[in-house]
Amino acid sequence: MKGENTMSKVCFGCGAKMQCTNKEKPGYVKEEKFDTSEYCSRCYKMIHYGEYEKNIEPKSKKEIITTLNKNAKYVVFLVDFIDIFDEVINIFKSIKVPKTLVVSKSDIIPKNVSFDQIRAYLRKVYRIKEEIIFTSSKTNLNTFIKSLYGKSEIYFTGLTNAGKSTLINAIMDKYDSNRKRIATSYKENTTMDFLRVQIDNMTIIDSPGFVIENFELRKESNIISEIKPITYQNKEACTYKISNLFNVRVSNKSSIVFYFSKNLEIKRLYDKQIIGMSFKVSANSDIVICGLGFIKTTDEIEITVPQDLMKYINIRPSIVGGVHE
Ligand SMILES: Nc1nc2c(ncn2[C@@H]2O[C@H](COP(=O)(O)OP(=O)(O)OP(=O)(O)O)[C@@H](O)[C@H]2O)c(=O)[nH]1
Ligand SMILES: [Mg+2]
């Protein structure tokens, strides 16, 4: 049967080994299409019809890190502005080969926050010593491409949805706009395996994104354009409802700023009580809601979060509050 020789063919969309035996596994393609198709059927549907089939086997964090530490000579780690929190930075730190931290989707960064400010913050709060570059597949691409000059082999890694494959497509476009494309999607786990592409004299290796726990909310909120901060002045206790995804009650008079995707609806309700965990958050902190965005405090506040939503919360010194190197 075709596709049984696992060395034979790799899907250009997701990097999975192409096979004709199991529809439920990555890389499946009908037997009659095996010789001619460059994409597995999942990627074909994604690229041509925007249809997304959930995969069943994302690569584990351990497997990806082991491969990088064993095989890579140079890694770029993409993190988007919304995903700067402990767990993600810890993954970056567990990569032990020369690496650069790339803040991707820089077009979504609110105008009131400068790249220098974020860079200083990453150095001071997260002790990042490596080079930090800002890029976007829509803008700021040239500085990033220049940073790759002289490197013959570069692994692109980062959380699922950080924009790795889109960025590689954008770089390929600069060299040859007619090239076939890697599959990309607003959903998680699009790239299934390591995928090598040759661009000019560089080999770029796309990789499956890291899937972290407590990232489910991201699925509902794809940030596609610049985040516009919204300030709320609270004269009394109130509850914020962020679409149907998150609720938080603020118990005291306060001024807070929301940094979320424009496609999320934020409602302020006065009569909705919350039963859950109450705790104080210091002045000038960010209440990060993993995968969604963050709320910046101005003064110390007390908040209440439903118990089952506590797992999404991460508190950090405010990234927009002005930290100096
Ligand atoms: N605003 C903005 N959106 C982007 C940018 N790059 C990627 N995206 C969007 O982010 C989503 C994820 O992009 P992918 O390139 O598939 O992400 P990935 O990191 O390859 O994800 P996995 O393959 O799952 O690891 C898509 O909806 C893209 O359109 C960017 O520079 N700016
Ligand atoms: Mg990808």
Side-chain angles (χ1 to χ4, degrees):
M1 175 160 315
K2 286 174 181 172
E4 281 195 336
N5 172 2
T6 51
M7 291 305 287
S8 51
K9 203 169 174 183
V10 161
C11 167
F12 192 80
C14 68
K17 287 193 180 104
M18 281 167 77
Q19 49 89 17
C20 315
T21 44
N22 190 340
K23 270 188 177 181
E24 307 297 319
K25 294 218 159 168
Y28 175 78
V29 64
K30 282 188 187 155
E31 201 171 342
E32 62 269 27
K33 300 255 171 73
F34 185 84
D35 287 335
T36 49
S37 182
E38 290 177 306
Y39 296 108
C40 70
S41 70
R42 174 175 175 265
C43 288
Y44 189 86
K45 285 183 199 157
M46 211 154 17
I47 291 168
H48 293 286
Y49 307 117
E51 285 175 20
Y52 181 85
E53 273 175 25
K54 179 141 179 54
N55 68 73
I56 36 154
E57 277 182 7
K59 272 208 187 308
S60 73
K61 187 162 98 182
K62 193 169 162 217
E63 215 177 333
I64 301 169
I65 291 175
T66 307
T67 304
L68 294 172
N69 284 341
K70 198 167 144 215
N71 299 338
K73 292 184 200 72
Y74 176 64
V75 167
V76 291
F77 185 98
L78 270 67
V79 57
D80 80 47
F81 176 67
I82 284 304
D83 296 332
I84 298 173
F85 49 83
D86 293 349
E87 195 175 350
V88 182
I89 301 294
N90 288 341
I91 299 177
F92 173 72
K93 292 197 171 174
S94 62
I95 298 169
K96 302 294 179 201
V97 295
K99 60 194 173 183
T100 294
L101 186 67
V102 176
V103 181
S104 60
K105 305 187 189 176
S106 59
D107 55 295
I108 69 165
I109 296 176
K111 290 276 181 300
N112 65 324
V113 195
S114 72
F115 294 170
D116 282 345
Q117 197 180 335
I118 300 171
R119 190 179 283 113
Y121 180 91
L122 287 165
R123 298 229 182 279
K124 179 154 188 191
V125 176
Y126 291 108
R127 305 269 161 223
I128 304 289
K129 307 225 166 31
E130 293 78 5
E131 191 179 4
I132 301 169
I133 295 180
F134 291 78
T135 196
S136 156
S137 50
K138 300 181 181 177
T139 54
N140 299 323
L141 194 55
N142 289 343
T143 317
F144 176 61
I145 293 181
K146 273 191 199 143
S147 77
L148 305 179
Y149 286 169
K151 311 223 165 46
S152 55
E153 196 185 80
I154 306 132
Y155 277 75
F156 278 50
T157 186
L159 284 200
T160 179
N161 209 263
K164 303 177 287 299
S165 305
T166 309
L167 190 56
I168 298 171
N169 280 337
I171 299 170
M172 288 198 291
D173 265 358
K174 287 256 176 196
Y175 288 83
D176 174 5
S177 54
N178 292 321
R179 276 188 72 153
K180 58 188 178 184
R181 331 211 82 225
I182 304 175
T184 63
S185 150
Y186 67 95
K187 302 251 182 163
E188 77 280 20
N189 298 131
T190 305
T191 306
M192 296 305 302
D193 211 329
F194 293 92
L195 174 66
R196 301 178 84 86
V197 293
Q198 193 63 34
I199 306 177
D200 207 23
N201 50 8
M202 293 182 289
T203 304
I204 289 187
I205 300 146
D206 194 3
S207 53
F210 294 102
V211 180
I212 58 168
E213 273 182 61
N214 312 335
F215 207 53
E216 300 97 327
L217 299 178
R218 162 56 69 87
K219 292 177 204 163
E220 314 295 333
S221 148
N222 189 29
I223 303 181
I224 47 168
S225 55
E226 189 198 325
I227 296 168
K228 297 261 194 262
I230 307 173
T231 303
Y232 288 90
Q233 304 286 351
N234 301 320
K235 294 202 170 66
E236 57 187 291
C238 58
T239 294
Y240 288 93
K241 207 165 168 290
I242 305 170
S243 291
N244 283 327
L245 302 169
F246 204 89
N247 296 319
V248 53
R249 186 156 185 87
V250 181
S251 311
N252 48 322
K253 189 178 164 194
S254 57
S255 169
I256 51 179
V257 190
F258 280 61
Y259 289 81
F260 290 91
S261 170
K262 275 187 266 184
N263 56 21
L264 292 175
E265 191 190 23
I266 298 168
K267 278 191 191 153
R268 179 162 57 176
L269 309 166
Y270 290 97
D271 48 1
K272 187 178 164 51
Q273 296 295 332
I274 288 186
I275 298 166
M277 215 171 134
S278 299
F279 55 99
K280 289 207 164 104
V281 181
S282 327
N284 205 20
S285 301
D286 292 333
I287 304 162
V288 179
I289 304 170
C290 296
L292 276 194
F294 60 91
I295 303 169
K296 181 193 173 292
T297 67
T298 308
D299 307 302
E300 182 183 90
I301 57 168
E302 183 172 303
I303 62 169
T304 306
V305 175
Q307 195 67 46
D308 60 323
L309 297 180
M310 271 306 293
K311 61 181 181 183
Y312 299 115
I313 294 276
N314 216 285
I315 308 289
R316 65 177 185 203
S318 179
I319 197 165
V320 296
V323 172
H324 299 285
E325 257 177 293

